[in-house]
């Protein structure tokens, strides 16, 4: 299987690295210091499950790609459309595009640009970060990719992808209801990311504060209301599971969006709390907690993007 991984960060670097380590033909799309680091020293993955180094093909030019069977998108949600436009002219009818970004509508946004038959839907579960250009640190959580056809059908090509993931040695699941699974992940990541970005403290400090815990519940309730209005069957039990997951993380954990804000980088704010605010306006569902978080963080987001 000819695999392309767009992005060599905490997600793309780990899963793409594992696929390369298993012997698959993997090409990374990377830029800047990361591109140079991988060319010179390979991709280094430090993992609680064991460290390794691979020397995959790497380029910064998507136009160089040919005969790709699977393209894994490991970029941020706000980069999806731009990457899709670049991919449009280099994929074939057989190419599968698998988005792993956080966010509820990544597959939809890809399908707005690319042929529907090319697009799978998916998500990943991992706690990892870029330690240095070309160096990935996976420091918590058992990595997993959950994916499937957009319409939920079980297909031979989905089984082929799972077979590749199994060979690479990380957990993967073909979902029977990928839209619901995506929203469950979105419920978790959006509930914790915004309040983390505002407070700038770790999960352990947030979850023990009664007031902040109540804000998380309010945020989650609004997300469930939006999901239900869109026909996605999230329930109150999913909210309780989300808070349980947050409670079970290591005390010192932080969310990737929070780390982006603290470093002054562009974030996925628009794709998380901003998405709920936008959908609330379109669906006539009130979202006061998400609106408060979104508008508190928006000035810094604009500054990070050079828009202020």
């Amino acid at each position: 299987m000819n695999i392309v991984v767009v992005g060599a960060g905490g997600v793309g670097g780990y899963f793409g690295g594992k696929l390369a380590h298993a012997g698959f033909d993997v090409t990374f799309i990377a830029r800047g210091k990361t591109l140079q680091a991988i060319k010179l020293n390979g991709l280094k993955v430090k993992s609680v499950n064991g460290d390794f180094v691979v020397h995959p093909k790497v380029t910064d030019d998507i136009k160089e790609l040919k005969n790709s069977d699977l393209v894994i998108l490991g970029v941020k949600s706000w980069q999806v459309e731009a990457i899709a436009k670049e991919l449009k002219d280099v994929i074939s009818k057989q190419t599968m595009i698998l988005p792993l970004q956080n966010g509820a509508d990544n597959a939809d946004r890809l399908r707005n640009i690319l042929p529907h038959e090319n697009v799978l839907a998916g998500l990943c579960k991992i706690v990892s970060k870029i330690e240095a250009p070309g160096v990935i640190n996976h420091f918590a959580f058992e990595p997993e990719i959950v994916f499937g056809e957009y319409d939920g059908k079980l297909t031979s090509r989905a089984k082929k992808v799972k077979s590749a993931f199994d060979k690479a040695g990380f957990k993967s699941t073909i979902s029977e209801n990928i839209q619901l699974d995506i929203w469950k992940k979105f419920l978790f990541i959006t509930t914790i990311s915004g309040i983390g970005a505002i407070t700038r403290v770790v999960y352990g400090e947030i979850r023990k504060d009664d007031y902040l815990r109540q804000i998380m519940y309010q945020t989650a309730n609004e997300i469930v209301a939006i999901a239900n209005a869109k026909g996605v069957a999230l329930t109150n039990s999913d909210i309780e599971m989300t808070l349980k997951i947050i409670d079970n993380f290591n005390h010192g954990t932080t969310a990737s969006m929070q780390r982006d804000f603290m470093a002054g980088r562009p974030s996925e704010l628009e794709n998380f709390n901003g998405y709920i605010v936008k959908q609330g306006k379109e669906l006539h569902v009130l979202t006061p907690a998400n609106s408060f978080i979104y508008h508190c963080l928006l000035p810094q987001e604009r500054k990070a993007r050079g828009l202020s």
Side-chain angles (χ1 to χ4, degrees):
M1 182 179 285
N2 186 341
I3 300 171
V4 174
V5 180
V6 184
V11 170
Y14 178 83
F15 291 110
K18 289 286 285 184
L19 287 160
H21 195 236
F24 287 99
D25 183 0
V26 177
T27 300
F28 278 90
I29 304 297
R31 296 182 171 87
K33 293 181 180 179
T34 298
L35 173 68
Q36 296 306 316
I38 295 175
K39 281 185 174 181
L40 289 173
N41 305 311
L43 175 67
K44 300 179 181 180
V45 177
K46 298 180 179 180
S47 171
V48 292
N49 294 334
D51 302 348
F52 61 89
V53 179
V54 292
H55 296 269
K57 291 179 287 187
V58 60
T59 180
D60 60 356
D61 188 359
I62 285 181
K63 293 179 181 178
E64 292 182 7
L65 302 179
K66 295 179 181 178
N67 305 316
S68 303
D69 298 307
L70 174 66
V71 179
I72 296 174
L73 300 187
V75 296
K76 296 289 189 178
S77 291
W78 55 270
Q79 298 171 306
V80 164
E81 281 92 350
I83 296 297
K85 290 173 183 176
E86 291 187 71
L87 287 170
K88 191 172 184 179
D89 295 328
V90 298
I91 60 174
S92 69
K93 290 183 178 180
Q94 287 71 43
T95 305
M96 295 171 282
I97 313 293
L98 176 58
L100 297 182
Q101 295 75 23
N102 293 320
D105 65 338
N106 295 305
D108 293 310
R109 290 188 288 133
L110 286 171
R111 283 160 59 94
N112 287 338
I113 297 169
L114 301 172
H116 290 186
E117 62 266 22
N118 288 115
V119 181
L120 300 174
L123 62 101
C124 69
K125 302 175 183 180
I126 187 172
V127 180
S128 57
K129 64 180 181 180
I130 299 173
E131 184 171 290
V135 182
I136 305 304
N137 186 354
H138 160 231
F139 53 94
F141 211 82
E142 186 63 31
E144 179 183 8
I145 290 178
V146 180
F147 73 103
E149 299 287 354
Y150 186 87
D151 60 7
K153 293 180 180 178
L154 180 61
T155 60
S156 59
R157 69 176 187 171
K159 292 179 181 178
K160 185 177 179 181
V161 171
K162 177 168 172 49
S163 178
F165 292 167
D166 290 345
K167 183 179 178 181
F170 56 80
K171 185 179 179 182
S172 67
T173 302
I174 300 177
S175 173
E176 296 180 357
N177 189 340
I178 190 61
Q179 303 303 329
L180 179 59
D181 286 334
I182 286 170
W183 272 88
K184 286 181 179 180
K185 170 71 181 297
F186 179 73
L187 175 64
F188 157 70
I189 201 68
T190 303
T191 295
I192 189 63
S193 292
I195 198 65
I198 288 177
T199 61
R200 311 294 170 96
V201 297
V202 298
Y203 283 16
E205 295 301 316
I206 295 171
R207 66 197 182 205
K208 74 179 183 181
D209 185 286
D210 289 341
Y211 180 76
L212 295 179
R213 195 173 185 87
Q214 186 58 39
I215 290 179
M216 286 196 291
Y217 269 109
Q218 292 172 2
T219 303
N221 274 309
E222 293 169 14
I223 295 167
V224 169
I226 294 295
N228 292 166
K230 294 176 72 66
V232 179
L234 284 180
T235 67
N236 288 337
S237 295
D238 295 313
I239 295 176
E240 295 303 325
M241 180 57 67
T242 290
L243 270 292
K244 184 177 180 180
I245 291 170
I246 293 170
D247 287 340
N248 287 336
F249 265 98
N250 291 337
H251 177 90
T253 304
T254 55
S256 62
M257 189 178 94
Q258 174 180 345
R259 295 193 295 272
D260 286 338
F261 266 97
M262 292 174 73
R265 296 187 295 259
S267 81
E268 294 174 298
L269 177 65
E270 292 290 345
N271 307 98
F272 292 2
N273 306 92
Y275 176 75
I276 291 301
V277 172
K278 181 180 178 181
Q279 290 297 304
K281 291 177 180 178
E282 292 182 3
L283 298 167
H284 305 289
V285 176
L286 295 176
T287 59
N290 281 276
S291 294
F292 175 78
I293 291 168
Y294 173 67
H295 287 286
C296 282
L297 294 172
L298 189 57
Q300 185 173 333
E301 181 70 22
R302 288 174 173 158
K303 182 179 180 180
R305 294 179 182 273
L307 301 176
S308 59

